[in-house]
Every structure is written in C-alpha cells, then in structure tokens.
Amino acid sequence: VPFSPGKMAMPQLITTLVATGRAERSGILRNGVRAVMGRVRGGRCRGMFGRGAILRAMKQRLVSSRAQSASDVTLVPCLSDNYAYIIHNPKSGLTAVVDPSEAAPVKNALESRGLSLDYILNTHHHWDHVGGNEELKKDYGAQIVGPAEDKARIPGIDLALADGEVWDMKGEEVRVIHTPGHTSGHCSFYLPNSGAVFTGDTLFSLGCGRLFEGTPAQMHSSLAKISSLPESTLVFCGHEYTQSNAKFALAVDPSNPHLKARCEEIDRLRSGKQATIPTTIGLELKTNPFLRANDGAVQKGVGIGDESGKSEVEVFAAIRSKKDTF
C-alpha cells in the first residue's frame, strides 16, 4: 500500500506488507514473498503492490495457522522523521501504540478508524518516543508499558517488563528483549504471532542507533539478539533514516548486489514520499553493515585488513565510529 506521510488515514485498507511487492519489483527476495503481515479489510488495492501481489500476499499469510491471531500494524508519522505504530487486532479488539512521540497524529489515526487505545508501549525514555504518553493516557485511559530497566524515566509508566518476560497483551503475546546500547534501559518488543519486532532506536533499516549510554559491546550484543529472530520477522523501527543509512552502507559495502538493488528501491520510495518501513530481519542480514561485522568486504570498507585479528565487536565499533562522522 503506498504510504504518504501527508495522508495517513486509510480506514478501509489497513495492510502492512514488508518489502513484499516492493522487493519483488526491485529484484530483492527473488525467490518470492518472504514476509507478510496484516490483512485487507475492504477498499480497493492500488499502487506499488498491485492486485496480484496483494492476493499472493494474502494467500501466503492466511494459510498460516497464525493468521487468525495476527494483528495489523499501521505507521503513524510523527515530528520530522519519527514513526509511532498502532497495533490492532480485529478479533480481540486490542489496540496499542508503540513509541508515540506526540499525541495528535496518533489520536487522528485512531479516530479515523473508530478505535480507542488500550496500551502505550515505550522502547526507551527519549522524549521523541514518549512525548505523547501522558496526553494519550489521560484521553483514553491507556496503560503505559515499558522496560523495567528504564522504569524511572518513562513518563506515566504503569507496567514495567523485564528482559525475557512474556506478557499477554489482551491475547497478543509480547516478548521483551533488553537491547541496551542506544540507552542503558532500551528494550525491543517481539510479537511472534504477528511476526513483528519493534526495535525503537536499536536496529534501524540499514543502520543502528547512536551509542548515547551504552558500549559497542552492548549494542553488538543487542543487535545479535534481534537478528537471531526468524528472517521473515517484520522490523518496525523508530525513525525514517533508511535513505541516509543507505548512503553510508554503500560507502562501506559498495560491491554488495543485494544492497545496490535495495538502494535503488529506497530512492524510488522516498522520491514518492513513501515509507521504507517495515523491513525484515532477512533483508537486514543481507544489507545492513552493522549486522555484517564478520564480512570481509565490510571490514575492508572501514579500513580493517584481513590479518588485523580484530574481534567482531572491535569491527562493529569501527563501523559505528565511521558512521558517526560520515
């Protein structure tokens, strides 16, 4: 579904398809659709996916035994480049939002679909991820959920979840993954039944977050946790940074054919003011330099030779350092 930051209300067609139709057209994931989430709830399919791709995606998703419990995810642009995400399960009635940096766009998106709000999920305490917490809580009576490690810094928090905890969010299983690096208390939320992970500012499309409070070793470990999820997992991150990240990725990994094809697709999407999110774990493993510290080409791209003897963490630190000044 084409996504325009200026036109986010699509109440009759709420479909989230990862790099599916997009990827097929650009040659990425040539062996077929690798990840699909969401469902067409009415309306007319048009745009980059086309009717055929929508039907193929629906068929693949609906044959899964998980299909009846999967939730829809809707991108909500906030501020200049943030995304909040509305999670809605038509079967259970669950509605939650992840990382609402401001309340107004989220309220508009909810109202356009006639939804209320049960939960607010925060991946970390930064203002551009929690700025809408208190207004949304006041207006909807929603519970605020966040990482136990960051409990003292999450405004209005009601439920603090620890690393490894499994929480039943009104029928939607949520697994909490402590992912420090960007901040010391950062977490990611993995929804296995919906095949989605919300990574905040840890894993970005073609990038990772800056290390404000953590160490390279912590961030490397956090990324390893996320990248160990099934390759079909949809990745919903906190910002639309993909195009700028792509320029850096090409600079350090210029011969990667998967990356070249992906960069062409990204430029096409952004030229039409369309979102590049979600991505998938599989696609990131092929193209994100921060997940490829063990790759000789990436090591060479940051000036580390084959005989350097540097560990993956040291290589990762070199990649992050180079990106900081890119």
Side-chain angles (χ1 to χ4, degrees):
V1 175
F3 180 87
S4 171
K7 299 178 180 179
M8 67 180 178
M10 302 181 70
Q12 299 305 313
L13 181 59
I14 306 298
T15 300
T16 306
L17 303 171
V18 210
T20 50
R22 306 174 187 171
E24 285 185 310
R25 285 200 172 188
S26 66
I28 299 172
L29 307 180
R30 294 174 186 277
N31 292 328
V33 175
R34 297 292 303 275
V36 178
M37 175 183 168
R39 63 201 65 185
V40 177
R41 300 177 61 208
R44 185 166 60 90
C45 304
R46 67 177 190 271
M48 78 179 87
F49 296 114
R51 183 179 180 184
I54 290 287
L55 293 175
R56 288 195 299 275
M58 287 177 65
K59 181 178 179 181
Q60 179 175 350
R61 181 58 185 161
L62 292 175
V63 295
S64 166
S65 62
R66 301 185 312 176
Q68 296 304 313
S69 60
S71 295
D72 300 325
V73 176
T74 303
L75 283 69
V76 182
C78 298
L79 303 176
S80 61
D81 54 35
N82 279 75
Y83 286 131
Y85 298 101
I86 292 175
I87 303 168
H88 178 64
N89 191 304
K91 183 178 180 181
S92 69
L94 161 73
T95 306
V97 64
V98 180
D99 285 351
S101 55
E102 53 182 338
V106 174
K107 290 165 71 172
N108 289 341
L110 291 170
E111 289 169 9
S112 74
R113 298 177 60 189
L115 299 176
S116 187
L117 187 64
D118 301 304
Y119 298 102
I120 299 164
L121 278 60
N122 296 136
T123 60
H124 63 296
H125 74 277
H126 282 167
W127 69 272
D128 61 331
H129 292 255
V130 302
N133 275 20
E134 292 179 326
E135 183 176 341
L136 291 170
K137 181 176 182 176
K138 178 182 176 182
D139 289 351
Y140 295 97
Q143 282 193 301
I144 297 176
V145 182
E149 292 82 357
D150 222 6
K151 179 179 179 180
R153 301 190 290 183
I154 302 290
I157 191 168
D158 298 297
L159 178 62
L161 299 175
D163 180 38
E165 193 164 347
V166 179
W167 173 51
D168 182 351
M169 184 174 67
K170 203 172 180 179
E172 180 78 58
E173 180 180 317
V174 178
R175 300 182 187 178
V176 181
I177 308 171
H178 185 214
T179 49
H182 181 66
T183 66
S184 59
H186 198 296
C187 80
S188 297
F189 298 106
Y190 175 46
L191 281 56
N193 290 336
S194 293
V197 63
F198 298 86
T199 59
D201 288 358
T202 298
L203 176 64
F204 289 129
S205 175
L206 287 178
C208 77
R210 287 179 177 268
L211 307 183
F212 290 125
E213 298 178 359
T215 66
Q218 285 179 314
M219 180 62 91
H220 182 262
S221 174
S222 295
L223 293 173
K225 294 177 188 178
I226 295 171
S227 63
S228 69
L229 297 174
E231 291 192 10
S232 61
T233 304
L234 305 180
V235 178
F236 295 92
C237 57
H239 294 266
E240 182 59 75
Y241 288 163
T242 311
Q243 194 167 41
S244 61
N245 286 343
K247 294 176 182 177
F248 173 75
L250 272 178
V252 299
D253 195 11
S255 300
N256 184 332
H258 303 290
L259 178 58
K260 289 179 179 179
R262 189 177 179 195
C263 288
E264 290 177 2
E265 179 69 3
I266 289 164
D267 288 342
R268 186 186 70 79
L269 290 170
R270 295 309 295 157
S271 68
K273 297 184 179 180
Q274 296 170 4
T276 62
I277 309 302
T279 177
T280 68
I281 295 296
L283 193 53
E284 293 306 308
L285 287 169
K286 290 181 179 179
T287 56
N288 189 329
F290 293 98
L291 302 185
R292 295 165 54 75
N294 63 345
D295 186 273
V298 174
Q299 293 172 7
K300 182 179 179 181
V302 295
I304 297 175
D306 295 337
E307 306 302 322
S308 69
K310 289 187 179 294
S311 68
E312 278 194 34
V313 171
E314 290 174 312
V315 174
F316 171 82
I319 300 169
R320 183 63 261 178
S321 178
K322 191 174 182 69
K323 177 65 166 64
D324 289 342
T325 57
F326 182 74

